[in-house]
Amino acid sequence: TVLQPSKPALAEITSDSYWPLWTSLPVAPFKRRRTIRYEVGPGVYAFDQMIGIYYVHVPIRMSVIPVHQDDPNKRGLVVFGPVAPTKECLILMQELIDKYGPVRDIILPSVAVEHKVNAGPFARQYPNANFYICDKQYAFPLNLPNSFLGLPSWTKPLPRSSQTPEGDIWGGELEHEVVSVKPGIGSFYQDVALFHKASKTMLVCDAVFAVNGDPPKILTEEEEYIRALLWHARESKDDVVADTEENRRKGWRRIVLLFNFFFPGSGRGDLGPGPIIEALKTPGFENGWGGWKPFTWGDDEIKDFETFSANGKSTILPIIQIILSRDPKEVQRWLDVIS
């Protein structure tokens, strides 16, 4: 069955999704940055946008939690992992503000550029909120001060643990613990585990990953974003792939394997001149890149995906596993606290 968007009015990304600062990190979806919001647990809201390169498109998520709802003087919202504050995103935020109170705290739980690039602009939309960041922010190749990274003057380092006197900043509703690993010269990896007691929800930024065979909602609500799924569902360069449930799932399966393994065992990569020459023959290919297709897929593709995804069981991204292996004592300390 060929699928049609369930709500044709949503098939066009409107001006409310426009992001003028996309050039600070020029990756997809560039300036056309849709935001969707949904509740993932009692009083825990996810705001998903999309990010990617070469149609390897995946969600990037912000989480929002209401706190102190019984205290009219303290009630408000905690924002974890800010995304691009487009007009659409801010409208969705305002609906929660009207219901739960103002933004009280904003947390940048990572040093990664894809998270950092949006945090400063988001914090500037709520200047009365506390803005906390992991304390090992850095830039490459020049390690610039935070002000040069777009972070506002009222930025505060997030205490490493809520179990310390200086880290008890949530009034008992939340707990947090930071993991810090130095993978190499001039770099750091940090992540924050934030526990919301009322809903028994644990938030982390990059350390934990879970996926199943269904493409995420952010990739299926917009005709423009669906292209990524169909692009990777091709079996040959010039395939015209119908928009079906099966092809969407096939494309998503391949995106997951490419995103996590770069050169997965079931993906036969050819980054040599052959696929490039073929792409140059069709510069007007409908979805760009000249249709460049440097991968073919073997019969073990489904098995590889099912082994990795384990039907949605939480795991750790392979690249993050490599990073965390540099300091197993710190990782074990972190796990002992949050578990």
Side-chain angles (χ1 to χ4, degrees), residues 3 51 66 74 102 118 140 158-159 194 202 209 258 284 302 334:
L3 301 178
I51 188 170
K74 297 173 64 177
N118 296 319
F140 181 85
L158 180 70
L194 183 71
M202 178 78 76
F209 176 84
L258 288 170
I302 295 178
W334 187 61

Side-chain angles (χ1 to χ4, degrees), residues 44-313:
V44 182
Y45 295 88
F47 285 63
D48 280 2
Q49 294 181 358
M50 184 267 282
I51 188 170
I53 298 174
Y54 179 63
Y55 283 117
V56 180
H57 293 173
V58 296
I60 185 167
R61 177 171 298 173
M62 172 177 79
S63 302
V64 180
I65 301 175
V67 293
H68 302 297
Q69 292 302 291
D70 296 330
D71 187 337
N73 297 317
K74 297 173 64 177
R75 66 192 301 267
L77 299 168
V78 174
V79 176
F80 183 87
V83 293
T86 62
K87 183 178 180 181
E88 179 180 44
C89 177
L90 296 177
I91 290 172
L92 294 173
M93 279 295 302
Q94 189 60 48
E95 292 174 0
L96 298 186
I97 290 170
D98 292 342
K99 183 175 182 179
Y100 296 111
V103 176
R104 290 173 40 90
D105 303 287
I106 302 168
I107 304 169
L108 170 59
S110 174
V111 300
V113 63
E114 64 269 23
H115 298 289
K116 181 160 47 185
V117 73
N118 296 319
F122 190 95
R124 286 185 171 83
Q125 297 294 325
Y126 305 100
N128 294 325
N130 296 308
F131 179 42
Y132 297 105
I133 67 170
C134 289
D135 62 353
K136 293 295 184 181
Q137 301 296 325
Y138 70 95
F140 181 85
L142 295 177
N143 196 10
L144 302 171
N146 287 341
S147 59
F148 281 68
L149 303 178
L151 304 178
S153 59
W154 57 90
T155 301
K156 306 175 184 179
L158 180 70
R160 292 289 182 93
S161 174
S162 58
Q163 296 186 352
T164 62
E166 64 273 14
D168 185 17
I169 54 180
W170 312 117
E173 294 213 5
L174 303 167
E175 293 181 355
H176 80 272
E177 192 75 21
V178 179
V179 61
S180 298
V181 173
K182 189 173 179 59
I185 298 174
S187 65
F188 253 95
Y189 171 85
Q190 290 187 298
D191 206 331
V192 177
L194 183 71
F195 182 61
H196 181 227
K197 294 182 179 179
S199 66
K200 298 181 180 180
T201 301
M202 178 78 76
L203 303 178
V204 293
C205 186
D206 292 320
V208 178
F209 176 84
V211 66
N212 61 26
D214 297 321
K217 192 175 181 182
I218 189 66
L219 295 186
T220 60
E221 284 219 339
E222 300 292 342
E223 184 177 5
E224 184 173 317
Y225 289 1
I226 292 169
R227 293 176 191 168
L229 302 173
L230 303 183
W231 174 274
H232 288 288
R234 295 175 301 154
E235 297 300 339
S236 65
K237 170 183 169 295
D238 296 317
D239 265 0
V240 178
V241 178
D243 184 9
T244 65
E245 189 72 38
E246 180 183 358
N247 283 333
R248 289 185 182 188
R249 290 171 64 90
K250 181 194 290 185
W252 173 240
R253 185 168 67 233
R254 293 172 175 180
I255 285 173
V256 169
L257 292 173
L258 288 170
F259 176 76
N260 285 284
F261 297 101
F262 303 108
F263 290 94
S266 53
R268 281 58 169 172
D270 181 359
L271 300 182
I276 296 175
I277 291 171
E278 289 300 311
L280 291 174
K281 294 178 181 178
T282 52
F285 197 86
E286 181 180 2
N287 292 323
W289 292 88
W292 182 51
K293 191 176 187 299
F295 284 92
T296 57
W297 295 88
D299 295 337
D300 47 352
E301 169 198 336
I302 295 178
K303 180 182 177 182
D304 281 0
F305 177 82
E306 290 177 347
T307 300
F308 176 67
S309 64
N311 198 32
K313 184 179 179 180

